[in-house]
């Protein structure tokens, strides 16, 4: 009987330790349109293709920065993408000229809370 008790304890240890925490979503910007050194006309969009892997559904927001200042204008409606591995598109457009030196993609959960981010410098 002691052998069964040890086995039972070994099987119960993971449950007693609490749920395992899954790693957060993984993101990678795989392409931009137009390229990173482009000049955009008023209202022309800049989009990024995102490869992702996640255990939960995600929304994606493209953020743009000029130094520390976030530049905001028109951007995609942030549809909910399925959990798992996939690709997504996020875009932004400006009604007036704006200088941008960095872009950042933020992955939001179904509850709109930020879960992960990926970024890069631009011209």
């Amino acid at each position: 009987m002691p052998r069964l008790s040890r086995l039972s304890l070994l099987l119960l240890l993971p449950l007693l330790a609490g749920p395992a925490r899954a790693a957060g979503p993984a993101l990678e910007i795989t392409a931009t349109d137009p390229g990173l050194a482009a000049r955009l006309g008023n209202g022309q969009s800049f989009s990024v293709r995102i490869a992702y892997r996640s255990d939960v559904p995600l929304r994606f927001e493209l953020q743009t920065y000029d130094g520390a200042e976030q530049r905001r204008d028109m951007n995609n409606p942030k549809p909910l993408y399925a959990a798992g591995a996939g690709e997504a598109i996020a875009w932004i457009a400006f009604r007036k000229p704006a200088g941008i030196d960095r872009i950042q993609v933020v992955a939001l959960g179904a509850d709109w809370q930020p879960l992960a981010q990926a970024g890069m410098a631009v011209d």
Side-chain angles (χ1 to χ4, degrees), residues 28-68:
E28 181 184 359
I29 298 171
T30 59
T32 66
D33 184 30
L36 295 178
R39 290 192 179 272
L40 303 176
N42 288 348
Q44 183 181 356
S45 67
F46 175 80
S47 62
V48 294
R49 181 179 301 268
I50 307 144
Y52 72 90
R53 180 177 302 278
S54 175
D55 292 338
V56 297
L58 298 174
R59 302 174 192 281
F60 296 95
E61 179 179 328
L62 177 58
Q63 298 176 345
T64 55
Y65 294 86
D66 183 13

Side-chain angles (χ1 to χ4, degrees), residues 34-114:
L36 295 178
R39 290 192 179 272
L40 303 176
N42 288 348
Q44 183 181 356
S45 67
F46 175 80
S47 62
V48 294
R49 181 179 301 268
I50 307 144
Y52 72 90
R53 180 177 302 278
S54 175
D55 292 338
V56 297
L58 298 174
R59 302 174 192 281
F60 296 95
E61 179 179 328
L62 177 58
Q63 298 176 345
T64 55
Y65 294 86
D66 183 13
E69 184 181 349
Q70 185 175 358
R71 309 294 258 172
R72 296 177 186 241
D73 210 330
M74 305 177 287
N75 61 353
N76 63 294
K78 300 172 204 62
L80 194 60
Y81 287 84
E87 288 190 331
I89 300 285
W91 60 266
I92 195 162
F94 296 94
R95 293 181 184 101
K96 297 179 182 175
I100 302 298
D101 62 10
R102 183 169 53 94
I103 60 172
Q104 181 168 287
V105 172
V106 178
L108 308 163
D111 60 358
W112 298 89
Q113 296 304 306

